[in-house]
Amino acid sequence: MLDLTHNMLSTGILDRLEVFNAFKNSSIKTLKLSRQYFPLNFITNITFRPLQHTLLEELHLTDNNLTSLPDGGFQWLPHLILLDIGKNKLFRLTVNAFEGLFSLRALYMDHYHGTESTDIDNLHEAINNLSGLEKLSLRELKMTGKIPPYAFGKLGSLLYLNLAQNRLSMDSHSFTNLSIYLSIYLSDRKSVV
């Protein structure tokens, strides 16, 4: 595990990939880049390319200044099982943001800031592309709107869903086709229809 949490690396070094080149072909399993003193401002679709031949299973990007995720930004991480991108300033998410993450089992996107109705649609489409997902946390979403019917319909492996402390409305069809063993957390919701 490489934990670079609370470090003094400059954002320029991280944004230019220099730090990741040191880990080409390494056996690193966990990479924590959370709570940077000089936060990570953006990633591109090649940011993690130097890690493509690693066996990286966990990537923690919590508490940075990320505002968007590019199409295929994580495609270089085929063994990734856990991705934590919570507590960023994410305003934009594309349908292909999680392209190539066939092994992903846990996604934490707490505090997502999407603001437009298309953000809800893009969020649910991007997540539905992760058919093996078992754990999904969308706690304290900053956007409003309605979760589309059958929003989680393609996530037949989902066992944990956290929608606590957000303003999204939903109906009974939002949870259709989900596992009977699913735990859903809806505490402190602002509105439920």
Side-chain angles (χ1 to χ4, degrees):
M1 172 176 57
L2 177 63
D3 188 347
L4 296 175
T5 303
H6 296 294
N7 69 68
M8 300 287 278
L9 290 173
S10 79
T11 188
I13 289 173
L14 291 175
D15 292 342
R16 289 191 316 264
L17 316 176
E18 294 171 14
V19 73
F20 300 125
N21 285 327
F23 302 105
K24 285 183 180 178
N25 302 315
S26 75
S27 60
I28 187 171
K29 297 267 190 185
T30 302
L31 180 58
K32 293 186 177 185
L33 292 166
S34 302
R35 293 181 210 93
Q36 307 296 316
Y37 284 103
F38 298 99
L40 189 59
N41 294 316
F42 64 91
I43 59 174
T44 69
N45 63 354
I46 61 167
T47 297
F48 299 109
R49 185 170 54 187
L51 300 174
Q52 69 182 319
H53 298 296
T54 66
L55 298 175
L56 189 67
E57 294 179 350
E58 292 187 22
L59 179 60
H60 301 266
L61 298 172
T62 315
D63 269 342
N64 279 287
N65 283 335
L66 296 174
T67 57
S68 65
L69 298 176
D71 285 348
F74 303 103
Q75 67 184 317
W76 309 104
L77 307 172
H79 304 288
L80 204 63
I81 294 171
L82 182 146
L83 176 61
D84 188 349
I85 51 176
K87 295 185 180 177
N88 274 283
K89 298 176 181 177
L90 289 171
F91 283 97
R92 192 176 137 277
L93 182 74
T94 65
V95 173
N96 296 314
F98 305 119
E99 179 182 11
L101 292 180
F102 304 112
S103 300
L104 199 67
R105 299 291 174 256
L107 176 62
Y108 298 91
M109 283 191 63
D110 302 330
H111 300 272
Y112 176 62
H113 287 260
T115 55
E116 300 174 16
S117 61
T118 56
D119 292 329
I120 293 174
D121 293 336
N122 286 351
L123 175 63
H124 111 265
E125 284 188 49
I127 289 170
N128 268 315
N129 289 332
L130 301 170
S131 60
L133 207 58
E134 296 173 357
K135 192 177 246 188
L136 175 60
S137 184
L138 299 170
R139 191 174 48 87
E140 293 187 55
L141 299 182
K142 305 298 183 194
M143 60 183 173
T144 58
K146 184 172 183 172
I147 294 177
Y150 308 99
F152 306 105
K154 294 181 182 176
L155 301 179
S157 300
L158 200 62
L159 299 173
Y160 171 91
L161 176 61
N162 189 341
L163 293 169
Q165 300 174 339
N166 69 61
R167 298 182 189 114
L168 293 175
S169 61
M170 62 193 71
D171 62 29
S172 60
H173 297 293
S174 297
F175 305 109
T176 303
N177 297 335
L178 292 175
S179 169
I180 59 170
Y181 302 107
L182 175 68
S183 297
I184 302 175
Y185 297 88
L186 300 169
S187 66
D188 299 322
R189 293 190 33 79
K190 306 298 184 219
S191 67
V192 177
V193 219

